[in-house]
Amino acid sequence: MFEVKARVLELSDYWRDHAAEIEAAGQITDESAAQLREIGAMRMLQPKRYGGYECHPRDFFETLLELGSRCSSTGWVAGVVGVHAHELAQTDPQLQEEVWGENEDTWVASPYAPMGRAKPVDGGYIFNGRWSFSSGTDQCQWVMIGGLILNEDGQPDGTGTHHFCLPRGDYEIVADSWEVMGLRGTGSKDLIVRDAFVPAHRVINQEEIVAGTAARAMGLDNPLYSIPRQTMFSGAITAGTLAICQGVLREYIEHSRARVSRLSGSASQDPNSLAILGEAAADIQASIQHFLWDIDRVYDMAAAGETITKDLRIEVRRNQVNASARAVQAADRLFVNTGGAALHTSHPIQRMWRDAHAAMNHMMNTTAPVYVQYGLNLFGHELPPTARY
């Protein structure tokens, strides 16, 4: 068992006991952030030269599954923020030194949506924009955000989305921008950038990182960094979602141990409840195993020196969104069968059920576009410009 995962399990009661507090705070508390730093959760994909572990991606995702099944928001932030080290490790060494050189526990937020506009100037860009959904942003010291570079006419220059890295002083966190029904504790607030100068070395071209070919060109020999970025980032969303559903299952079982039905007596002996439990548990476990199987085979290909093909990247995305949807549907069946007690705001199962549905609103969990791009690619048709794989 990998050390970080073992330490997460040692603190199992802590994460569960503090989940309601984190939701009420609307963000990861300083205490919980300190615990994540102490156990090294955010260093799992970080380069060894900056105190990271460069672990097998399965270890990373299994850790998220354990963490997020006890506190949805903590697991979500650990995944979405922790996965950024995978991309940052493949960037200009000067940027990595700026982020991690003085503090190896520096956290980097996102979002990646290309809402920013960058005007070229001598030595870099003048950058502006507003972004939503920057998970864990209050605990982060840098941000990696999406934007488009403008041409002389002030229009996007056609080179696609780039990621722009800015230190905390160059952007504003909008304090009152995260009032939501689920995943409240992630603190996924809006960010605003106004006329910030971004040096050229802090701008990340996505093409090779998305394809999984940037690492070898840089001399990075750990197969971890040859896994395509989309597989890893969308994987963090999938793992976060599956973790929550695993938590719903755990809470359902605990609730059923003591639940007494007026119709059938003990819920733990009620045939209807047991049938729903068995089916849901199988669906959640199958979703998790399918997800981890994909991660293993992609890693094994990278370890063998192979480049992950477009076809496989699209297939993995198909499987990821399907796993999330199947697991949340299972969680729905459990929640509906828990009874009226689950409606109380003090009951953890209603919080995790809300969190699961909030997770499904993330664009990486949207099933239809991914299924469509899988079908189009299968039959040899051109994919839309918005395809992400």
Side-chain angles (χ1 to χ4, degrees):
M1 183 183 294
F2 190 76
E3 179 183 352
V4 178
K5 179 182 172 184
R7 297 181 74 184
V8 165
L9 292 174
E10 287 173 3
L11 291 168
S12 178
D13 290 343
Y14 174 86
W15 309 118
R16 190 175 184 274
D17 292 347
H18 284 75
E21 175 189 355
I22 286 171
E23 177 176 69
Q27 64 184 61
I28 299 298
T29 61
D30 290 344
E31 180 184 343
S32 290
Q35 288 283 12
L36 289 175
R37 288 187 171 91
E38 173 66 23
I39 66 176
M42 302 305 200
R43 295 193 187 201
M44 297 185 76
L45 305 181
Q46 197 163 307
K48 289 181 179 178
R49 65 182 178 277
Y50 288 113
Y53 305 135
E54 295 189 16
C55 72
H56 192 296
R58 184 185 180 107
D59 290 323
F60 174 67
F61 290 123
E62 286 186 338
T63 299
L64 299 183
L65 288 167
E66 296 295 347
L67 187 56
S69 69
R70 292 161 174 82
C71 177
S72 307
S73 292
T74 301
W76 190 270
V77 170
V80 173
V81 175
V83 78
H84 293 151
H86 177 264
E87 177 177 350
L88 192 59
Q90 302 174 62
T91 63
D92 190 305
Q94 183 178 350
L95 173 58
Q96 295 182 53
E97 181 64 24
E98 289 172 344
V99 173
W100 288 316
E102 294 187 3
N103 181 7
E104 294 174 345
D105 279 320
T106 296
W107 292 7
V108 181
S110 52
Y112 290 140
M115 307 307 295
R117 296 297 180 265
K119 178 183 177 181
V121 295
D122 188 27
Y125 304 88
I126 297 298
F127 196 48
N128 286 276
R130 179 167 180 152
W131 297 257
S132 298
F133 311 118
S134 182
S135 297
T137 200
D138 287 292
Q139 298 291 349
C140 296
Q141 296 78 45
W142 281 72
V143 71
M144 184 186 297
I145 44 182
L148 302 176
I149 296 173
L150 304 179
N151 58 25
E152 293 180 355
D153 298 325
Q155 300 299 316
D157 68 0
T159 58
T161 300
H162 290 67
H163 291 168
F164 295 76
C165 296
L166 291 79
R168 183 67 170 266
D170 287 354
Y171 59 92
E172 172 191 348
I173 298 173
V174 182
D176 60 352
S177 56
W178 188 242
E179 291 295 332
V180 292
M181 54 76 68
L183 287 175
R184 291 177 58 86
T186 64
S188 304
K189 300 173 182 176
D190 289 10
L191 305 180
I192 296 175
V193 175
R194 296 185 179 90
D195 291 329
F197 174 69
V198 183
H201 71 272
R202 294 183 186 169
V203 180
I204 308 169
N205 187 313
Q206 291 299 291
E207 185 175 357
E208 291 187 351
I209 294 177
V210 167
T213 57
R216 291 195 188 101
M218 295 180 63
L220 297 175
D221 57 4
N222 189 327
L224 164 68
Y225 299 120
S226 291
I227 297 176
R229 184 190 73 81
Q230 198 75 351
T231 300
M232 292 296 295
F233 179 73
S234 58
I237 301 302
T238 304
T241 308
L242 297 179
I244 298 167
C245 296
Q246 193 169 242
V248 171
L249 175 61
R250 180 182 289 116
E251 295 299 338
Y252 178 87
I253 292 171
E254 287 303 308
H255 179 79
S256 297
R257 292 186 194 280
R259 182 185 175 195
V260 177
S261 169
R262 286 179 294 176
L263 298 178
S264 57
S266 171
S268 65
Q269 294 178 301
D270 175 60
N272 180 63
S273 296
L274 294 175
I276 290 171
L277 169 63
E279 180 184 39
D283 280 344
I284 293 170
Q285 185 178 38
S287 297
I288 291 171
Q289 293 306 314
H290 199 178
F291 167 65
L292 294 175
W293 175 72
D294 272 337
I295 295 302
D296 281 342
R297 63 178 177 146
V298 168
Y299 180 87
D300 289 346
M301 288 182 67
E306 300 177 41
T307 298
I308 313 305
T309 65
K310 172 186 173 184
D311 290 352
L312 181 54
R313 287 153 56 193
I314 290 173
E315 180 184 326
V316 168
R317 284 293 298 127
R318 178 204 68 186
N319 295 344
Q320 288 177 344
V321 298
N322 183 263
S324 289
R326 178 171 50 180
V328 172
Q329 289 164 8
D332 283 348
R333 298 195 297 274
L334 293 170
F335 177 72
V336 169
N337 195 57
T338 306
L343 300 177
H344 290 285
T345 56
S346 59
H347 202 297
I349 201 168
Q350 58 78 29
R351 181 181 63 249
M352 302 193 91
W353 178 78
R354 287 187 286 106
D355 293 340
H357 281 271
M360 285 304 293
N361 275 38
H362 194 286
M363 66 172 295
M364 290 298 172
N365 274 335
T366 305
T367 56
V370 179
Y371 292 156
V372 168
Q373 78 179 21
Y374 169 76
L376 289 173
N377 184 68
L378 180 68
F379 291 112
H381 300 307
E382 184 176 351
L383 297 183
T386 55
R388 296 290 181 267
Y389 52 89

